[in-house]
Amino acid sequence: MSGLDVTVFPHDFAWGAATAAYQIEGGWDMDGRGPSIWDTFCHAKGRVFEDHTGDVACNSYQLWEEDLKCIRQLGLTHYRLSISWSRLLPDGTTNHVNPKGVAYYNKVIDDLIAGGVTPMITLYHMDLPQALQDLGGWSSKEIADIFESYARFCFKTFGDRVKLWITVNEPYVCAKLGHEDGIFAPGIKNPGISVYLAGHNMLRAHTKAWHTYNAHFRPLQAGQVSLALNSDWVEALDPGSSKDAAASERYKAFTLDWFACPVFCTGDYSETMRARIETRSFDLGYKQGSRLPRFTKDEPSPLGTADFFALNYYTSRKVKDLNGDSKKNELSFEGDQGAEGVVDPSWPICGVHWLAVVPDGLRKLLKYIKDTYTSLPIYITENGFSQMGPVQIEDTDRSQFYKDTLQEVGKAISQDRVNVKGYFAWSLLDNFEWSDGYSVRFGLFHVDFSTPDLKRTIYRSGRDYAAVISKHRSQTKPKNI
Ligand code: PNW
């Protein structure tokens, strides 16, 4: 990544990498951990590529010190990890606390801080305790209060040292892939209905956790809390078509705006989203009330419940109207959205099929967020490039991708005046890539899953990322006079 101008990044810029508990920890039934929905999903067979599971994954539960070496080798200033809810609270509730789970995360946090690395902790990254799924999971109203007690427990236990919190990671992906498409745990396929209910309860859960932090922990702990929203950058497929332009607006309304509008704009879902869902419910003869739930006055409002904007960006889409498509007349999220995102043929696809490489989409999206939602600081909490097939340690294409992307982030900072506070590469390590198992590799370190020691080897992209961080730190270090 030589040639990258690092002087545009502020001196306190957060250079990070991210992981998630289920994707790296393994130790699925060790030391009192309760099962999560991903254990159930993987063990059911036929759900995940070649029936891979996260039973062992990178074994970060036992090999944390190896991960710490990787973090230090990169010279990261920040590390984003998630807590396995069911490792801490095996049945999901604070009725039973697992002391070994508490000890594990205490050690991780203490080791990071001792090494000068700031932790950012995600409370929920796709892995609901199975015991809570058995009570209805994200479709049940009660989940928001149960999540709030879990969050309160974490703030109380770790908040003396952890100052950056993400409540829910990618509510869009959890709701859509988990409750509409059924390709992520808990594998529910209930088109056009559960998706909105799950998304709504995630927002209620986030809101309650933020208010708890704000009222009871912020005064003492002075940290910050947000939720991580994933978004593609989207534009109309045919810029001259008013139908594609409207479809592109609908696409945004049902993706980023679904969660960003309640939190950053109005405290409610957008008019576009509500009107589409109401009209189509009527047209399709759906009579069981509104499919898009309402926020009620007896609960705190989601408006203003973020102390920074956390963005996961991977790719871009061109959007066309769904007119004439079969989905138009079925009860489904995509039918409601009435828009389809396609890949521009000029964009290279890297590894996994959905990931078209479009670094300048990130710059456009950052400016859009600043202009549309908030002037709060933005952390890019995930961004990355995948590899499939034979392992290439000399991953020059991924290294180029990081350089191009960081250059775009630099332009967003210096030219568009977007307040970007940090960047977290996805991911520190090759890991369990959900339905794709271990066939898709996003790491800055390769993990050899065929050997019991799960040896970590730095990729070239990891070495190059480390060089960027070290160059930035040496250029912006306060000078001794
Ligand atoms: C994110 N899609 O999820 C997650 O936060 C990570 O856990 C994950 O490993 C990473 O991106 C890479 O996939 C996504 O199908 C999962 O569009 C799937 C999609 C997007 C994001």
Side-chain angles (χ1 to χ4, degrees), residues 214-265:
N214 195 46
H216 304 295
F217 295 93
R218 191 193 306 280
L220 285 171
Q221 297 182 351
Q224 300 189 316
V225 182
S226 190
L227 76 177
L229 301 182
N230 61 295
S231 183
D232 301 345
W233 170 248
V234 298
E235 286 171 13
L237 179 63
D238 172 0
S241 151
S242 58
K243 282 196 158 178
D244 285 1
S248 168
E249 290 311 307
R250 283 199 301 278
Y251 194 93
K252 286 186 206 151
F254 279 78
T255 49
L256 182 58
D257 205 47
W258 176 8
F259 301 98
C261 186
V263 173
F264 295 98
C265 300

Side-chain angles (χ1 to χ4, degrees), residues 7-30:
T7 59
V8 296
F9 296 97
H11 72 95
D12 57 351
F13 193 75
W15 294 104
T19 57
Y22 188 75
Q23 295 180 272
I24 65 164
E25 281 183 6
W28 79 281
D29 61 352
M30 274 179 196

Side-chain angles (χ1 to χ4, degrees), residues 1-6 403 407 468 471:
M1 293 180 219
S2 57
L4 177 72
D5 176 12
V6 293
K403 179 181 172 186
Q407 213 137 30
V468 168
K471 187 170 159 199

Side-chain angles (χ1 to χ4, degrees), residues 19-20 23 80 125-126 169-170 172-173 177 183-184 228 230 232 312 314-315 317 352-355 382 384 386 426-427 431-434 436 440 442:
T19 57
Q23 295 180 272
R80 175 175 178 234
H125 200 122
M126 323 258 186
N169 179 68
E170 300 192 350
Y172 172 91
V173 170
L177 277 58
I183 58 171
F184 270 30
N230 61 295
D232 301 345
N312 294 356
Y314 284 92
T315 189
R317 290 288 182 265
V352 66
H353 66 94
W354 54 266
L355 218 171
E382 283 180 33
S386 71
W426 183 270
S427 177
N431 60 46
F432 175 78
E433 179 49 29
W434 307 120
D436 292 319
V440 174
F442 272 97

Side-chain angles (χ1 to χ4, degrees), residues 145-366:
D145 283 327
I146 301 175
F147 179 82
E148 188 273 337
S149 350
Y150 161 56
R152 184 188 290 265
F153 178 81
C154 292
F155 298 149
K156 193 172 70 189
T157 311
F158 308 119
D160 54 334
R161 290 151 291 156
V162 177
K163 305 297 168 189
L164 291 170
W165 295 97
I166 299 290
T167 55
V168 179
N169 179 68
E170 300 192 350
Y172 172 91
V173 170
C174 291
K176 171 81 166 34
L177 277 58
H179 299 77
E180 168 95 6
D181 306 333
I183 58 171
F184 270 30
I188 293 168
K189 283 188 198 166
N190 181 20
I193 296 167
S194 293
V195 63
Y196 301 120
L197 190 55
H200 187 69
N201 286 327
M202 287 178 209
L203 265 177
R204 289 179 54 240
H206 158 78
T207 298
K208 286 181 186 237
W210 185 89
H211 279 285
T212 291
Y213 191 83
N214 195 46
H216 304 295
F217 295 93
R218 191 193 306 280
L220 285 171
Q221 297 182 351
Q224 300 189 316
V225 182
S226 190
L227 76 177
L229 301 182
N230 61 295
S231 183
D232 301 345
W233 170 248
V234 298
E235 286 171 13
L237 179 63
D238 172 0
S241 151
S242 58
K243 282 196 158 178
D244 285 1
S248 168
E249 290 311 307
R250 283 199 301 278
Y251 194 93
K252 286 186 206 151
F254 279 78
T255 49
L256 182 58
D257 205 47
W258 176 8
F259 301 98
C261 186
V263 173
F264 295 98
C265 300
T266 64
D268 197 358
Y269 300 114
S270 69
E271 264 315 301
T272 310
M273 191 175 183
R274 193 168 290 287
R276 273 296 288 194
I277 295 173
E278 303 299 307
T279 309
R280 281 177 36 86
S281 293
F282 183 81
D283 291 351
L284 298 173
Y286 181 82
K287 298 217 172 64
Q288 291 141 58
S290 177
R291 289 182 291 129
L292 186 65
R294 290 193 178 272
F295 296 100
T296 56
K297 292 266 181 292
D298 58 333
E299 291 198 329
S301 165
L303 185 63
T305 59
D307 304 317
F308 56 92
F309 197 106
L311 171 70
N312 294 356
Y313 171 80
Y314 284 92
T315 189
S316 293
R317 290 288 182 265
K318 294 283 169 91
V319 177
K320 62 177 189 182
D321 189 59
L322 206 58
N323 236 340
D325 191 283
S326 62
K327 295 227 168 78
K328 202 176 160 238
N329 294 318
E330 70 183 25
L331 197 62
S332 71
F333 179 90
E334 272 153 37
D336 292 338
Q337 183 175 238
E340 188 190 354
V342 297
V343 170
D344 185 305
S346 73
W347 295 336
I349 298 286
C350 89
V352 66
H353 66 94
W354 54 266
L355 218 171
V357 184
V358 199
D360 69 348
L362 178 54
R363 176 184 175 184
K364 293 177 188 166
L365 185 58
L366 289 167

